[in-house]
Amino acid sequence: MRGRRRGIWKPLGAVCVLLLVLTGGGVWWLTERYAGQVDRLGDVFAAIPESGRPAASTAADGVPVTFLLVGSDSRDVAADGAAPGARSDAIMLARVAADREHAQLISIPRDSWVDIPGHGMNKINASYAFGGPSLLIQTVEQFTGVRIDHFVAIDFAGLAEVTDALGGVDVYVGQPTQAGGHTFEQGMNHITGEEARWYLGQRHGLPGGDFDRVKRQQNFLKAVMDQAVGSQTFSDLGTLDQTLRAVAGSVAADDDLGVRDMVVLAHSMRNIAKDDVAYFTAPVLGTGREGAASVVYLDPAAGDRMWGYLITDSLGDHAAEFAESALGDAPR
């Protein structure tokens, strides 16, 4: 297991996976140099009773693929599936549409108050500590009704190198903030790896707290994708090699996500443009307290509509219904 970073690296989690999955970099999948570096988590679905799992998502024009993406402070999973001490600080559902021309990413706030099978009501990120990937998958499937096809976890070593290998990325900041000695001015900011970890890790000083941090995760992810697709990353072999080696060193995937599957999926997504990826946060009613814990209450009515559209692979067609939950043009 490669070294782990803790603390403010945690919000960077899903960036690695989406860079791999959504940019369609076929060179990556065809090269054992990189494929062999992806750690394996084992059969994370084996412990989940099939009788209790949702049916596969349906679409008229093919088969959609749904990933559960998790950024946490540890990828270490014990033999019994538990991940003691680990908390999933970035939780995202990533859906690749059946037409392979659209994708959606939905962030689930880490403090969402949900029913964890066998453990009762708790924050959703506690499920990862209680039972590792399997229990987190089971928890998400239970309250969304969306079947998860693949699970990917990330540790945070090398993420600064990903950003630096791209030459930095441009993010829009809605209001000036400071973190870790770095000032982020209102407007467009060009940030490098060192600045990125502070931009993504900041929570205090942002009016929306964790909600704003979720928006920053998505905003940064969008910026990484825009830079990767719109620059010379995939035409400059040196830059490509440096970027993908850093990404590969941060990813662990379930055993069912084989190299051949990766090749086929990446090739099928080669025509996805940056504007074809939509970013949302699961609808929420607000925040409150459960005992000493500050929690997020999800909106069951709006959530049921969102998850229903995802199940039928039609969320892209109904995106306007969730404008308040979508990533805006000027996140803080």
Side-chain angles (χ1 to χ4, degrees):
M1 176 67 66
R2 285 173 286 276
R4 298 188 302 275
R5 303 279 178 85
R6 303 178 69 88
I8 52 185
W9 280 112
K10 295 183 282 189
L12 291 163
V15 171
C16 282
V17 178
L18 264 292
L19 180 61
L20 288 174
V21 173
L22 296 181
T23 57
V27 173
W28 156 262
W29 308 118
L30 296 174
T31 308
E32 288 296 327
R33 170 180 175 84
Y34 308 117
Q37 295 184 30
V38 177
D39 283 343
R40 292 294 170 181
L41 294 169
D43 187 354
V44 299
F45 296 96
I48 306 174
E50 182 61 33
S51 60
R53 299 192 65 197
S57 298
T58 59
D61 53 352
V63 180
V65 182
T66 305
F67 292 81
L68 181 57
L69 312 178
V70 173
S72 74
D73 55 8
S74 175
R75 285 188 299 169
D76 287 334
V77 178
D80 61 0
R87 293 279 169 158
S88 46
D89 289 278
I91 304 171
M92 300 182 182
L93 283 174
R95 160 59 61 82
V96 180
D99 64 9
R100 299 299 188 262
E101 296 181 359
H102 301 84
Q104 299 90 36
L105 183 139
I106 305 170
S107 294
I108 302 172
R110 65 177 185 170
D111 292 337
S112 297
W113 189 247
V114 300
D115 183 22
I116 299 175
H119 296 270
M121 299 298 295
N122 208 321
K123 293 183 180 183
I124 189 172
N125 69 344
S127 63
Y128 195 62
F130 293 156
S134 298
L135 187 57
L136 180 58
I137 292 169
Q138 192 175 9
T139 301
V140 173
E141 288 189 338
Q142 177 176 275
F143 80 82
T144 65
V146 177
R147 187 181 180 93
I148 307 302
D149 297 306
H150 296 293
F151 179 92
V152 183
I154 306 97
D155 68 8
F156 306 102
L159 292 180
E161 287 81 355
V162 173
T163 307
D164 287 335
L166 290 170
V169 298
D170 296 324
V171 297
Y172 189 90
V173 176
Q175 66 181 50
T177 61
Q178 291 184 333
H182 301 279
T183 299
F184 303 104
E185 304 289 350
Q186 183 175 6
M188 197 65 72
N189 290 248
H190 186 77
I191 61 176
T192 60
E194 172 64 17
E195 295 163 327
R197 68 191 186 103
W198 289 103
Y199 169 77
L200 285 163
Q202 183 177 4
R203 177 178 60 179
H204 301 293
L206 298 177
D210 272 342
F211 292 112
D212 284 341
R213 189 164 68 162
V214 165
K215 296 294 186 184
R216 283 192 169 193
Q217 292 169 11
Q218 295 181 355
N219 194 41
F220 183 74
L221 173 58
K222 183 177 184 295
V224 169
M225 290 186 58
D226 289 353
Q227 178 70 6
V229 173
S231 69
Q232 300 300 310
T233 300
F234 292 102
S235 60
D236 184 309
L237 292 181
T239 300
L240 180 65
D241 180 72
Q242 182 181 355
T243 301
L244 295 181
R245 282 176 62 84
V247 171
S250 302
V251 173
D254 66 86
D255 283 357
D256 288 341
L257 187 59
V259 174
R260 182 181 182 279
D261 299 320
M262 296 176 184
V263 172
V264 172
L265 180 61
H267 180 71
S268 70
M269 296 171 60
R270 63 192 180 278
N271 293 323
I272 288 186
K274 57 187 180 182
D275 292 336
D276 295 327
V277 183
Y279 302 83
F280 303 95
T281 300
V284 302
L285 290 174
T287 60
R289 300 200 72 83
E290 294 290 341
S294 176
V295 303
V296 172
Y297 297 112
L298 298 176
D299 184 336
D304 284 349
R305 294 200 311 276
M306 177 178 281
W307 311 131
Y309 292 141
L310 202 64
I311 290 168
T312 59
D313 203 34
S314 59
L315 180 56
D317 297 331
H318 298 275
E321 291 186 30
F322 306 101
E324 293 185 359
S325 300
L327 177 65
D329 295 329
R332 298 187 182 97

